[in-house]
Amino acid sequence: MEPVKMQDTNSYLEGFSQFEKDAPGSDLSWLRSIRQDAITRFSELGFPTVRDEDWRFTNIAPIARASFQLSQNGQRTLSHTEIETFTPQGLSGIQIVFVNGRYLQELSSLKSLPKGIKVSSLVMALDKDKDLIEHHLTRYADYQKDAFLALNTAFMEDGAFVYVQRGTVLEEPIHLLYITTTADAPTITNPRNLILAEDNSQATIVEHHVSLDESVYFSNVVTEVVVGSNSVLNHFMIERESKRAFNISTLRVQQGRSSNVTSHSLLLGGAIVRNNVHPVLAGEGSECYINGLFMSTGRQHMDNYMKVEHASPHCDSRQLYKGVLDGKSRGVFHGRIIVHKDAQKTDAKQTNRNLLLSDEAKIDTKPQLEIYADDVKCTHGATIGQLDENAIFYLRSRGMTLDSARALLLFAFTSEILEHIKVDPIRNYLESLVTDWFVQGKLFDRTQ
Amino acid sequence: MLEIRNLHVKVEDKEILRGLDLKINAGEVHSIMGPNGSGKSTLAQVLAGRETYEVTEGEIIYEGKNLIYMSPEERAREGIFMAFQYPVEIPGVANTYFLREAVNAVRKYRGLEPFKHVEFIKMVKSKMKLLDMDDDLLQRSVNEGFSGGEKKRSEIFQMAVLEPKLCILDETDSGLDIDALKIVSKGVNSMRNPERAFLIITHYQRLLNYIVTDYVHVLVDGRIVKSGGKELALELEDKGYSSWEQSEGQNIKAANT
Ligand SMILES: Nc1ncnc2c1ncn2[C@@H]1O[C@H](COP(=O)(O)OP(=O)(O)OP(=O)(O)O)[C@@H](O)[C@H]1O
Ligand SMILES: [Mg+2]
């Protein structure tokens, strides 16, 4: 059967009816009804427009107008050498790979997992860990008000399932690699990840989205993370997809008592990228650190949408986001902090700093504080600036070339984010990506 | 070493230096004094290659080369160093990294091997001792959060590390307490030798108690109006600049109309 080209709401409905018959887990009635509810919700909501407050600065019309088809049957296989550049040096361990949204066993290494850790594809988990999945999947990322979440929920097919059992500590990062490669027509993939970290556990998850070529496609990603009490979880989002790809992703974190979550995002690729980070500090005394670096050139558009929800007393949150924008690119930082009525003694801080490298680059930065408790500390600050000419002259007057002075200042700007990364192989990898960006962006050619 | 002839410099359409002449030979120490806004920093910045200052007339010859068309980094590599009146804070760039880049850029230009890490650290530590710098300096970002005195000492420390031929100090003594002033002077004096020259911009005769100067020049309204030996500094401290300011100001007005 020819795959349906999905463009307007009707064709998405049509695509859905074709998809749902053979979708993984279509035999599970709870999942069927969630998918059906989600597609209904999607058709009611439709794609958001700039009239929608949450999308004021990001026009996703190119996504809404484009026509996408679901990834076809017939697995594309890849060799280890083809993905070598996407495997950070020193991360030799646990890896699960998806190609065009589907699990690829040959490249995944899930054999000798330590005791207390499960990593599998969602499809496998629907079979082996039915109860856990039913208990958690879709329970946190609420699709009622978000069309992209609804779309993902309706069309979710595969993704990663990570389960860290009570008391298990895993130092080694778990690498989730999503590769998209040319199809005949632009495809949409809807990766859906579920990470469960039980009480007193510790884990590091690296979500990594890459392309093999410069093709047009749409990654619509949802990751739900549930962190038990007294647990430590680090999450990395590395987005380095094709400059013509669209990426909308949501990280939804549910935090238990005294848990500690760190989220790092590095956005480099994509034509339109929207990265939603939404932790809910549900357990008393929990903390989250949300760091991000986004670097755009050309006509890229990168939107960082934070929604930090303080739902319990004595929780701390820290956001530090930095943007480097070149060319005619646009960036958005929308930082919402919501402090619920009972969340007394909240301590929330938000910082967004941006560097514009060209006159035509633009950033919109918007803090949004919604505070319903009375005993809280919330601070926010944003800056937009250029490379400091005085600093450039100072460095040159000591013998450095203009190029190296600029590179040094840029690197210094980004290093504040990179320094927070405690996992060496990841920090080294991200540092090299950032340095490559400086070089490839030909920042050093148009000087003088 | 350095010869400046009839130098005219403009900033944003305002003429600041108006026909300045100055000659400095290797081994000499020259001091420039003058009222606020007379163009002292402008001279220092122009020598270091700041592009916001436009040279409209005259020439600057340094070791037989025309300086005006050289980039700031080339000048630095040729041995010109300016200690800034207001050193720039550079968050996120550690002093060690900065100094190593700078030293090795200069060494490479002079055809020397870059320093190996151990040699570099050894060299840097000895200069730190000379200027009484705290050990944590190397880890700290360039000038970030430094007190005024620390910034000035750090400039002289950089100068000691880079071993330039022409050292320009723009009000390095301003705002220093007597102990810091002694340390800075010690650093400068230890670097004096027959191949090196100093151009010291200052408001106060005080510094010249510690650094013996060969010549004192008075800069008023963008011109050197008087030159003399170190005794001139004492005279200035006593009488100020008013006599020149009035007469020169009138002369200039008369000349312009
Ligand atoms: N970048 C600039 N833009 C505009 N005007 C400038 C600039 N730099 C200097 N000037 C002006 O040029 C004149 C000379 O300034 P300069 O800094 O050279 O004086 P100075 O002798 O060093 O004074 P001070 O003793 O206060 O340090 C002043 O009137 C100053 O306002
Ligand atoms: Mg000055």
Side-chain angles (χ1 to χ4, degrees), chain B residues 9-111:
Chain B
V9 173
K10 250 166 120 175
V11 181
E12 291 169 1
D13 286 336
K14 184 172 151 198
E15 186 159 54
I16 296 167
L17 297 184
R18 323 155 177 239
L20 183 139
D21 297 283
L22 183 65
K23 194 171 169 197
I24 299 178
N25 295 308
E28 293 175 350
V29 177
H30 290 245
S31 301
I32 292 194
M33 303 180 81
N36 292 115
S38 57
K40 303 183 297 296
S41 293
T42 302
L43 174 63
Q45 300 264 338
V46 165
L47 290 174
R50 183 90 202 206
E51 282 141 353
T52 40
Y53 295 88
E54 189 195 344
V55 174
T56 51
E57 218 185 310
E59 53 185 4
I60 308 174
I61 308 297
Y62 169 74
E63 302 214 300
K65 289 176 205 134
N66 189 344
L67 212 57
I68 292 172
Y69 301 105
M70 277 160 81
S71 67
E73 54 268 37
E74 273 178 281
R75 297 177 195 211
R77 292 164 186 203
E78 286 284 351
I80 294 181
F81 180 95
M82 182 201 34
F84 283 62
Q85 182 174 6
Y86 305 108
V88 184
E89 299 198 9
I90 311 183
V93 176
N95 263 303
T96 14
Y97 186 83
F98 162 65
L99 288 169
R100 194 162 51 226
E101 288 283 300
V103 168
N104 285 336
V106 173
R107 285 179 70 88
K108 193 173 157 198
Y109 187 79
R110 295 182 186 161

Side-chain angles (χ1 to χ4, degrees), chain A residues 52 65 103 111 113 150 193 204 252 299-300 389 392 395 397 434 436:
Chain A
D52 187 329
R65 269 202 311 266
Y103 172 55
K111 291 265 153 55
L113 294 176
N193 308 304
T204 298
R252 170 70 174 84
R299 292 182 173 277
Q300 284 182 292
E389 287 300 329
I392 290 177
L395 294 170
S397 79
V434 167
D436 284 354

Side-chain angles (χ1 to χ4, degrees), chain A residues 210-319:
Chain A
V210 304
S211 314
L212 283 187
D213 42 51
E214 287 295 298
S215 51
V216 179
Y217 64 88
F218 176 24
S219 299
N220 183 32
V221 190
V222 178
T223 302
E224 287 175 297
V225 182
V226 187
V227 186
S229 47
N230 212 29
S231 292
V232 177
L233 190 113
N234 300 309
H235 179 272
F236 292 88
M237 167 69 168
I238 308 170
E239 204 286 322
R240 45 177 305 205
E241 295 182 289
S242 143
K243 288 276 187 313
R244 298 165 69 203
F246 304 110
N247 181 303
I248 309 272
S249 48
T250 296
L251 174 69
R252 170 70 174 84
V253 184
Q254 186 75 7
Q255 287 193 238
R257 193 185 173 93
S258 302
S259 63
N260 182 309
V261 169
T262 308
S263 145
H264 295 270
S265 302
L266 176 67
L267 310 183
L268 294 172
I272 297 176
V273 176
R274 161 85 159 212
N275 188 29
N276 301 302
V277 180
H278 181 187
V280 177
L281 296 143
E284 210 172 306
S286 49
E287 292 179 294
C288 70
Y289 295 84
I290 305 172
N291 299 320
L293 178 61
F294 53 102
M295 303 181 35
S296 56
T297 63
R299 292 182 173 277
Q300 284 182 292
H301 183 109
M302 292 183 177
D303 179 350
N304 303 274
Y305 188 99
M306 306 294 114
K307 186 169 166 188
V308 176
E309 261 188 82
H310 283 260
S312 272
H314 296 285
C315 295
D316 293 355
S317 66
R318 295 284 176 272
Q319 300 172 56

Side-chain angles (χ1 to χ4, degrees), chain A residues 20-194:
Chain A
E20 93 165 325
K21 289 197 285 289
D22 309 314
S26 57
D27 52 325
L28 304 168
S29 64
W30 64 269
L31 188 54
R32 269 186 97 90
S33 68
I34 285 173
R35 280 193 176 124
Q36 277 158 6
D37 189 45
I39 193 68
T40 308
R41 199 64 199 126
F42 171 74
S43 70
E44 288 159 6
L45 290 167
F47 284 112
T49 68
V50 289
R51 284 187 299 278
D52 187 329
E53 186 56 32
D54 287 344
W55 293 89
R56 224 174 95 195
F57 305 114
T58 298
N59 184 358
I60 55 92
I63 300 177
R65 269 202 311 266
S67 124
F68 296 108
Q69 64 181 38
L70 294 175
S71 170
Q72 290 310 285
N73 294 329
Q75 184 66 67
R76 159 104 198 235
T77 56
L78 293 171
S79 68
H80 279 281
T81 35
E82 279 175 288
I83 66 157
E84 215 171 80
T85 55
F86 306 127
T87 315
Q89 291 285 311
L91 277 199
S92 47
I94 309 165
Q95 171 165 285
I96 182 163
V97 178
F98 300 87
V99 177
N100 296 339
R102 304 228 169 111
Y103 172 55
L104 186 63
Q105 194 196 337
E106 297 92 274
L107 293 182
S108 303
S109 49
L110 304 173
K111 291 265 153 55
S112 49
L113 294 176
K115 202 169 156 289
I117 307 277
K118 277 188 185 182
V119 181
S120 76
S121 73
L122 188 67
V123 173
M124 280 148 64
L126 279 171
D127 183 36
K128 291 202 182 110
D129 295 286
K130 254 192 209 94
D131 296 343
L132 268 180
I133 302 288
E134 180 173 357
H135 189 71
H136 292 287
L137 190 71
T138 76
R139 307 294 166 188
Y140 309 96
D142 177 13
Y143 57 79
Q144 293 302 328
K145 287 188 188 130
D146 183 324
F148 291 107
L149 274 177
L151 195 62
N152 173 287
T153 306
F155 284 100
M156 64 180 157
E157 196 175 348
D158 210 350
F161 171 64
V162 177
Y163 178 45
V164 187
Q165 277 173 12
R166 182 182 296 270
T168 307
V169 172
L170 180 66
E171 305 264 359
E172 168 112 50
I174 301 172
H175 188 207
L176 320 178
L177 181 60
Y178 306 82
I179 304 169
T180 310
T181 171
T182 328
D184 313 336
T187 51
I188 176 174
T189 60
N190 293 282
R192 180 81 185 205
N193 308 304
L194 179 63

